[in-house]
Amino acid sequence: MHYISTRDPNHRVSLSQAIARGIAPDGGLYVPESFPHSVPRDFADLTELPQIAERLLEPFFAGDPLAAELGAICAEAFDFPVPLVPVPGAPAPLSVLELFHGPTSAFKDVGARFLAACLGRIRRDAGRKLTILVATSGDTGGAVAAAFHNKPWVEVAVLYPKGLVSQRQAQQLACWGGNVRTFAVSGTFDDCQRLVKEAFLDPALAETHELSSANSINIGRLLPQMSYYAKAGLELWRETGRRANFIVPTGNLGNALAAVWARHVGLPLGEIVLATNANATVTDFLRSGEWKPRPSVATLASAMDVGNPSNMERLRALHPDFEELQAQVNASLVDDIEIRATIRRDSHELERIWCPHTATAAKTFRRLLARGARGHWVVVATAHPAKFDEVVEPLIGREVPVPPSLERLLALPRQETELEPTLEALRAQLQGR
Ligand SMILES: *Cc1c(COP(=O)(O)O)cnc(C)c1O
């Protein structure tokens, strides 16, 4: 299997190269040259996530040096549960796919851990250490820091906008130490992103460091996310004999794209509905056919505050015809007022506590039912509500129990360096001056 750029099918690389590069030289995103085809019977003897992932991903690794180690990579990355939990009191058959049982309590742990497992093997014989630079608006930095912490072949620098992430997110960014350095930048997320881009272009840094990113557009983060859709789809298929429908909280569209790819290769998933926050780029596009990226607006579901979702380029590469694309996915916009009301209502009526991101999917479920939707639905839960206690607790009027993995991180000392938003300041830090 080879990987091509969304912008140029003649640019063709191996999986290892696509993972090591992150983005294609022409600015396009790597996609599989062709998709394999599976049927549920191919997974008949399998019930556990690492084994389902290995079988699903085998053709995507075919011919690559990593192929021989795919089993070990899956075992390393998928070492926490991804349960499908029924919601008995719901007004229609409903399950929650809980993606928040990893080290930093959000679904990004899956992709970050898989990427670390791949990169560690790709870099095994490299002479130099890799330096991973991550700009984060909240969840990505923590997941990447956790996944790469204490790996001897890599240094990590996390840049986040000081004061602009939740208290517990800040703690998850700064609690690592060792090979992870956390910079609280006096600026915005855009400043952090700009600094990372400038660092990549800086000749002085290129002399002393081999820089890389662990950006969410890396194919090594996307492929493993197909696995939990495969597992959940198969589970409900075996139980009910039908395809379940999935509602995915969506920002940069990486998680939802993995669901679309899983269905495309033949796994039993029914409808796929993208739940967005007030950022309307995706919903407007699916209505009008006009792609109009715009600056992001801040919402309670901050990890989904994306005005120009990168992975739409991959979705459009899969379905270049707009009407065809429209037939593949629906989208539904949920604003902050609805997010608040849904968290409040479902904590009473369904005894489920949602994080603000997951609440967009829960609201969409009720909206679809009101319009006559049928079948079994799955709300994809992307983060644990305890991560967003400042939003959730006042709404539900009680404390959100903190999962043990998060509790452990909250107890660690915070280690971070304040940073002016300039390349000179970042360079001086990285070069130890
Ligand atoms: C990153 C994130 C999202 C958005 O996922 P995309 O793949 O960018 O669409 C949703 N919820 C949470 C909690 C996240 O951290």
Side-chain angles (χ1 to χ4, degrees):
M1 170 79 74
H2 281 90
Y3 291 78
I4 54 174
S5 165
T6 43
R7 298 185 190 172
D8 177 11
N10 295 316
H11 174 77
R12 211 164 156 264
V13 298
S14 71
L15 177 62
S16 288
Q17 285 169 321
I19 289 174
R21 287 188 183 166
I23 192 158
D26 58 7
L29 307 184
Y30 287 113
V31 291
E33 186 175 41
S34 63
F35 281 86
H37 194 76
S38 314
V39 291
R41 211 179 330 107
D42 298 339
F43 300 86
D45 52 331
L46 304 179
T47 53
E48 300 304 314
L49 184 61
Q51 285 75 39
I52 291 173
E54 185 180 353
R55 191 156 303 167
L56 172 69
L57 297 177
E58 217 169 71
F60 291 94
F61 277 65
D64 193 84
L66 288 175
E69 303 190 66
L70 178 58
I73 293 169
C74 289
E76 209 174 299
F78 297 107
D79 67 341
F80 54 86
V82 181
L84 190 61
V85 180
V87 185
L94 176 68
S95 305
V96 181
L97 179 56
E98 294 184 352
L99 303 182
F100 52 66
H101 296 284
T104 67
S105 309
F107 86 93
K108 292 188 175 76
D109 284 323
V110 173
R113 292 181 67 74
F114 194 89
L115 177 64
C118 290
L119 268 180
R121 288 168 171 83
I122 293 171
R123 300 285 305 174
R124 196 158 33 204
D125 301 319
R128 227 174 174 193
K129 273 194 192 186
L130 199 63
T131 300
I132 294 204
L133 290 183
V134 209
T136 184
S137 60
D139 285 337
T140 295
V144 168
F148 290 83
H149 187 225
N150 283 344
K151 307 275 185 214
W153 47 273
V154 66
E155 306 272 347
V156 181
V158 178
L159 284 72
Y160 80 93
K162 184 173 149 68
L164 297 181
V165 305
S166 86
Q167 278 300 319
R168 285 183 177 170
Q169 281 178 320
Q171 172 67 20
Q172 283 186 329
L173 292 169
C175 68
W176 303 100
N179 65 335
V180 177
R181 297 187 64 193
T182 305
F183 296 104
V185 176
S186 35
T188 62
F189 172 61
D190 290 338
D191 289 317
C192 298
Q193 257 189 326
R194 173 180 51 76
L195 277 179
V196 168
K197 283 186 187 154
E198 288 175 2
F200 274 100
L201 299 174
D202 182 42
L205 271 174
E207 269 184 29
T208 52
H209 288 73
E210 187 160 350
L211 297 178
S212 178
S213 82
N215 201 296
S216 65
I217 49 143
N218 194 302
I219 188 86
R221 285 180 56 169
L222 208 45
L223 292 175
Q225 291 172 181
M226 294 164 65
S227 313
Y228 44 73
Y229 290 109
K231 178 172 183 285
L234 287 164
E235 234 169 84
L236 289 168
W237 171 261
R238 287 168 188 158
E239 198 180 303
T240 68
R242 310 173 84 166
R243 292 166 178 267
N245 308 308
F246 288 73
I247 311 173
V248 188
T250 293
N252 211 23
L253 236 131
N255 200 6
L257 182 76
V260 172
W261 279 4
R263 186 179 61 187
H264 192 72
V265 303
L267 284 149
L269 280 73
E271 279 183 56
I272 295 171
V273 183
L274 320 180
T276 75
N277 60 22
N279 288 276
T281 309
V282 171
T283 42
D284 282 357
F285 169 64
L286 287 174
R287 199 177 311 112
S288 69
E290 279 177 73
W291 181 244
K292 283 199 219 145
R294 64 195 76 174
S296 64
V297 298
T299 75
L300 292 172
S302 54
M304 292 157 49
D305 291 347
V306 182
N308 185 6
S310 320
N311 282 301
M312 185 56 88
E313 188 163 331
R314 284 186 167 120
L315 189 58
R316 296 174 82 180
L318 186 66
H319 300 296
D321 179 73
F322 177 65
E323 281 177 16
E324 164 72 17
L325 179 70
Q326 258 184 330
Q328 296 296 324
V329 291
N330 288 313
S332 167
L333 182 148
V334 177
D335 66 24
D336 275 0
I337 294 172
E338 295 169 310
I339 288 175
R340 283 200 186 87
T342 303
I343 292 173
R344 202 182 281 124
R345 175 178 179 181
D346 286 352
S347 77
H348 299 298
E349 289 185 13
L350 302 181
E351 292 177 35
R352 287 286 324 200
I353 306 174
W354 311 121
C355 85
H357 312 82
T358 308
T360 64
K363 170 66 191 178
T364 299
F365 166 66
R366 291 195 184 264
R367 197 180 272 165
L368 292 168
L369 285 192
R371 291 179 193 157
R374 305 250 178 137
H376 194 118
W377 289 85
V378 177
V379 160
V380 176
T382 48
H384 194 287
K387 221 171 155 168
F388 302 93
D389 55 320
E390 294 150 12
V391 175
V392 174
E393 289 182 352
L395 292 169
I396 65 171
R398 60 195 152 101
E399 274 183 32
V400 182
V402 177
S405 56
L406 180 55
E407 203 154 59
R408 203 168 53 244
L409 301 187
L410 295 180
L412 294 171
R414 219 162 129 166
Q415 319 181 39
E416 65 183 18
T417 307
E418 301 208 357
L419 192 78
E420 288 301 313
T422 67
L423 177 62
E424 291 70 33
L426 178 60
R427 190 198 295 126
Q429 285 292 339
L430 292 178
Q431 295 184 331
R433 282 185 279 110

